[in-house]
Amino acid sequence: MTTSATSAETLLKALLKGAAPGGKIDYSAMTPEVAQIVRDHPEGGEMIIKLGTPQTVTYLGAPPGGHLFRITFATAKIDFFMAVNGAGKISSMYYHPSVDMPS
């Protein structure tokens, strides 16, 4: 994993910890635009909270513009894309249910 991927993983783990019950999201780790979207749409974080405590975070690779991780919970897996700008701020992120493709 590259240094930028390691930094993205650190940001992702901090984001997950901040979104957990009793946690506090660090909006300063995001660009102002992303922070505002997260504030305006708390349902995204609430959906992740309902999945419980993350068991593993696995780096899947670097698609154009960012980093892709698989987050495994007890009952589900999600794939989480995150872009980090030159200042080390989260500049884009989204997630969706993980789908294992047949080999």
Side-chain angles (χ1 to χ4, degrees):
M1 190 173 352
T2 66
T3 302
S4 64
T6 301
S7 297
E9 182 174 3
T10 300
L11 284 169
L12 175 57
K13 288 180 177 178
L15 181 66
L16 290 168
K17 184 177 178 180
K24 182 172 167 59
I25 294 175
D26 180 8
Y27 294 103
S28 70
M30 306 170 198
T31 62
E33 298 82 9
V34 171
Q36 191 60 51
I37 291 168
V38 172
R39 285 185 185 99
D40 290 346
H41 298 281
E43 64 276 5
E46 292 165 2
M47 289 171 58
I48 291 177
I49 289 169
K50 289 179 183 177
L51 295 174
T53 303
Q55 296 177 340
T56 61
V57 175
T58 305
Y59 183 69
L60 297 180
H67 302 281
L68 185 62
F69 299 89
R70 177 158 296 154
I71 306 169
T72 303
F73 299 87
T75 59
K77 295 178 185 177
I78 62 172
D79 289 344
F80 194 103
F81 173 86
M82 175 186 290
V84 180
N85 69 15
K89 306 273 186 184
I90 300 169
S91 58
S92 177
M93 62 181 171
Y94 65 87
Y95 66 89
H96 58 81
S98 177
V99 178
D100 290 322
M101 301 301 288
S103 23

